[in-house]
Amino acid sequence: MLCKICKSKGKKEKAVISIRHHKLALCKEHFLEWFKKQTLKTIKQFSMFGKEETIGVAVSGGKDSLSLWQLLTECGFKTVGIHIALGIDKNDYSKKSLELCSRLSERINRPLIVFDMKREIGYTIEEIAKLSGRKDVCSVCGTFKRYLINKIAVNEKMAAVATGHNLDDESAVLLSNTMRWDTGYLARQYPVLEEKEGFAKKVKPFCFFTEKEIVSYAILKEIEFMETGCPNAGSATSPVYKQALAFLEHKMPGTKLRFYREFLKKGRPAFEKETKEEYNLAPCRTCGMPTTAGVCSVCRILEKVRGVNAKSGKN
Ligand code: SF4
Ligand code: ZN
Ligand code: ZN
């Protein structure tokens, strides 16, 4: 297959990727150009951030977040990486993840803020889940990561936090929310969440790219990333929705992008009034971060963990 753009200029260059839903086959140079242009278009379309602002990029060590950090930096944005070291020992997962984030930080010459849970809180994420009696380590992990990344961004006065969520993630979440007609979540699913009383602005510049496009970018840019997922990933339900969408995409190329884009255009406005409900946010009595519950969920979990440990005489 030949690159479509090169072909239009009378050149015969081999394509490195075929993007079926855009009916595009592109060589390395034109794919990288297309990828950059599309990202800048998304940033502009949703007024995500500007060149003068400091942007936190939440990096896990995976292809999505590291590619995002590389690209935003290359585009001239003032980026700072934020990594939460979870302390997951199996397969050296956390150690390797941190190593890869640090390596990219050095390569692009941008600072990396690391929050080490064991060192700063005293427990790894798995210890917290176990001691607080929660079976689903991923939901505890999600709560802590969101809380910590937000706290760092607010403390560091960052204009926004960018995450590497891609089209596969967003369309799977959309399908899952639609299956349950969870109107509250449907109303909030958007590439931008504006800053609000103690919550930093959150943005997803890669939300229209598939995993395949991002992994191609990472490989072509020679970014080293974690190729094996987190050992706890198996319990999540989203792979089922991803598989369902992959099947539809295979039969009807463009399904995922259409599903998500049309939702943003036509579906979401129908649920928007759900976000207008007044939440009574107030500072958490323990940590001062905003919550609707008096004491925030992270502090409540930690109280339980410390209580358990005090009873068993470990603390
Ligand atoms: Fe955390 Fe679960 Fe993701 Fe692992 S798979 S990083 S435990 S949310
Ligand atoms: Zn080309
Ligand atoms: Zn709190």
Side-chain angles (χ1 to χ4, degrees), residues 147 284 286-289 295-296 298-299:
Y147 171 91
C284 164
T286 306
C287 71
M289 293 307 285
V295 175
C296 78
V298 162
C299 289

Side-chain angles (χ1 to χ4, degrees), residues 17-284:
I17 184 169
S18 154
I19 313 168
R20 277 172 84 201
H21 56 272
H22 288 292
K23 295 191 178 70
L24 269 179
L26 297 171
C27 67
K28 179 179 173 180
E29 183 198 333
H30 287 123
F31 170 69
L32 293 177
E33 202 177 284
W34 173 84
F35 195 84
K36 192 172 178 177
K37 240 192 226 166
Q38 294 290 317
T39 309
L40 291 173
K41 200 169 143 191
T42 305
I43 293 170
K44 198 170 168 202
Q45 183 186 349
F46 294 95
S47 308
M48 291 185 171
F49 43 75
K51 288 264 160 80
E52 285 72 42
E53 299 172 314
T54 301
I55 316 303
V57 184
V59 283
S60 64
K63 61 181 185 329
D64 303 305
S65 56
L66 292 183
S67 297
L68 180 63
W69 196 14
Q70 160 91 35
L71 183 64
L72 293 182
T73 307
E74 216 179 279
C75 289
F77 292 105
K78 275 200 268 166
T79 61
V80 176
I82 306 173
H83 178 73
I84 310 299
L86 301 164
I88 298 172
D89 283 336
K90 200 169 172 198
N91 308 337
D92 274 342
Y93 176 74
S94 289
K95 195 174 151 224
K96 284 184 194 159
S97 304
L98 173 58
E99 243 171 56
L100 293 170
C101 296
S102 305
R103 236 177 267 171
L104 186 66
S105 158
E106 277 169 33
R107 176 170 133 164
I108 60 179
N109 200 18
R110 296 301 306 162
L112 173 68
I113 297 175
V114 178
F115 186 96
D116 186 314
M117 294 199 51
K118 184 77 180 175
R119 202 171 51 220
E120 316 258 353
I121 302 180
Y123 304 93
T124 69
I125 197 64
E126 286 162 330
E127 287 167 347
I128 291 174
K130 197 171 164 203
L131 291 169
S132 63
R134 313 258 172 145
K135 287 203 178 68
D136 183 3
V137 60
C138 291
S139 85
V140 180
C141 182
T143 303
F144 271 76
K145 277 193 293 194
R146 273 193 302 276
Y147 171 91
L148 293 168
I149 289 167
N150 182 62
K151 196 170 179 185
I152 291 167
V154 170
N155 288 347
E156 299 289 324
K157 298 189 171 46
M158 292 171 175
V161 175
T163 54
H165 290 94
N166 58 48
L167 181 63
D168 299 65
D169 302 324
E170 292 304 302
S171 55
V173 169
L174 176 57
L175 184 58
S176 151
N177 289 339
T178 307
M179 285 295 178
R180 290 179 285 109
W181 288 116
D182 194 325
T183 52
Y185 278 124
L186 285 167
R188 283 191 292 276
Q189 192 175 353
Y190 203 60
V192 174
L193 265 180
E194 291 300 339
E195 179 188 0
K196 190 182 167 191
E197 304 165 64
F199 290 110
K201 183 175 182 178
K202 313 278 170 11
V203 295
K204 301 172 183 175
F206 277 0
C207 63
F208 298 123
F209 288 135
T210 61
E211 275 178 18
K212 180 185 157 193
E213 286 153 13
I214 299 173
V215 87
S216 304
Y217 174 83
I219 292 169
L220 291 172
K221 293 298 275 186
E222 295 174 9
I223 296 168
E224 292 176 86
F225 58 87
M226 286 294 281
E227 290 181 33
T228 51
C230 170
N232 295 319
S235 60
T237 52
S238 69
V240 178
Y241 293 106
K242 283 193 178 175
Q243 282 164 17
L245 283 162
F247 172 77
L248 293 171
E249 183 72 28
H250 179 69
K251 296 279 177 196
M252 299 176 285
T255 298
K256 273 187 272 193
L257 190 60
R258 216 166 26 244
F259 181 45
Y260 183 55
R261 267 203 198 279
E262 294 304 300
F263 161 72
L264 294 179
K265 226 191 281 168
K266 300 174 192 161
R268 187 178 169 271
F271 303 110
E272 235 169 347
K273 65 173 185 349
E274 305 268 339
T275 57
K276 305 233 159 49
E277 279 172 23
E278 279 308 310
Y279 292 104
N280 288 322
L281 283 173
C284 164

